[in-house]
Each structure stands twice: as structure tokens, then as C-alpha cells.
Amino acid sequence: MKITVEHCDTPENEVILRCRELDEEMLHILALLRSGMQSLCAFTEERETVLLSPQEVLYAESVEERTWLYCEKAVWRTALSLSELEARYEALGFCRVSRSMVVNLHGIRQLKSCAGSRIEATMRNGEKVMISRHYGPLLRERLGM
């Protein structure tokens, strides 16, 4: 695939996909572009709505039937389930790492093997989360390890 970047003076950025046919590779790129432009709806404790970029989210966790989004300096609640987050933002690096957690792979700074085939992930804000042994192979595959 050929990639060309052109600088121009137009007020708005524009992406043009040129292809002979809309194959799997082009559909993947299109999905990645669309999901990256979406906002993720979250709520404050005062029930105010906050719009987040998916890239801001380090990980999401389900606690007592509620889903929480953990960012570098704040925690927000969302109405989306972990399965919905994983499906919508998989192309952006969201990956299931336990029954109750989805991690943004781009938020991981370091990985450490632990007892019982578990993996400890240190996020870019210094927080540590555990990847269960069941989801370890999926994480390794997604990271190309």
C-alpha cells in the first residue's frame, strides 16, 4: 500500500482513501478512522456528561454491574458494557484482559510475568493492572509477542 501525506492550507483536515476495490485491508483502515473520530460518553458523579477520546482511556473495569473508565488523572462512569467497549474500540487497541477488564494497549508502559501465568501491566500513569492467565495469550497475540 502506498501512503502519501500532503500539506495544504485548507481549514479542515481531509482523508481520501483510493482503492481498486474495498478489500479487507481498506475496510480495516476505514473502521480505524471512524472509531478514532468517535467520542466516548462518560458521566461525572453529578450526572454531567463528559465526552472522552478513546485514546484518553487507559482501561475500563466492571465493578458491581457498572463500567468505569480509568484515564490518567480521572475515573468516569459509562453506560457501555465491557463487551461494547471491546467491540467498538478494538481497532484502536482495546483488548479484553480479564472477565472484568478491558485495557487500551496503547496505555501500557511495561509488562511483567507473575506467578500462575498472570501478567502485571504497568499503565502510563503508573497504575498496575493484572491480566488473567486465560487472556494472556490474546494479549501476547495483539502485541505481536
Side-chain angles (χ1 to χ4, degrees), residues 87-136:
R88 286 185 189 187
Y89 303 109
E90 180 180 22
L92 295 176
F94 280 47
C95 178
R96 180 73 70 134
V97 295
S98 75
R99 208 179 82 204
S100 62
M101 188 178 292
V102 169
V103 167
N104 181 348
L105 299 177
H106 303 290
I108 297 174
R109 184 185 326 145
Q110 181 179 357
L111 295 172
K112 176 183 171 186
S113 294
C114 296
S117 300
R118 293 173 37 178
I119 301 168
E120 180 184 82
T122 303
M123 307 310 288
R124 67 176 175 246
N125 68 346
E127 265 189 81
K128 296 180 185 317
V129 298
M130 293 303 294
I131 288 87
S132 76
R133 62 185 174 87
H134 177 75
Y135 290 93

Side-chain angles (χ1 to χ4, degrees), residues 44 61 102 137:
T44 65
E61 185 175 33
V102 169

Side-chain angles (χ1 to χ4, degrees), residues 45-71:
E45 289 190 24
E46 295 80 29
R47 299 203 189 271
E48 296 173 350
T49 303
V50 177
L51 297 177
L52 301 172
S53 163
Q55 292 86 352
E56 292 179 73
V57 177
L58 298 175
Y59 65 95
E61 185 175 33
S62 179
V63 179
E64 297 178 0
E65 299 182 18
R66 291 190 176 180
T67 305
W68 301 90
L69 303 173
Y70 293 80
C71 299

Side-chain angles (χ1 to χ4, degrees), residues 16-85:
I16 299 171
L17 294 177
R18 290 192 182 101
C19 57
R20 191 175 302 252
E21 64 180 285
L22 204 54
D23 59 7
E24 283 295 316
E25 181 181 39
M26 294 307 286
L27 288 171
H28 178 73
I29 292 169
L30 189 57
L32 183 62
L33 288 169
R34 285 185 176 151
S35 61
M37 294 176 359
Q38 291 179 13
S39 292
L40 211 162
C41 189
F43 306 98
T44 65
E45 289 190 24
E46 295 80 29
R47 299 203 189 271
E48 296 173 350
T49 303
V50 177
L51 297 177
L52 301 172
S53 163
Q55 292 86 352
E56 292 179 73
V57 177
L58 298 175
Y59 65 95
E61 185 175 33
S62 179
V63 179
E64 297 178 0
E65 299 182 18
R66 291 190 176 180
T67 305
W68 301 90
L69 303 173
Y70 293 80
C71 299
E72 290 208 31
K73 296 180 182 174
V75 179
W76 310 99
R77 191 161 117 15
T78 183
L80 298 173
S81 69
L82 291 178
S83 296
E84 290 170 320
L85 286 169

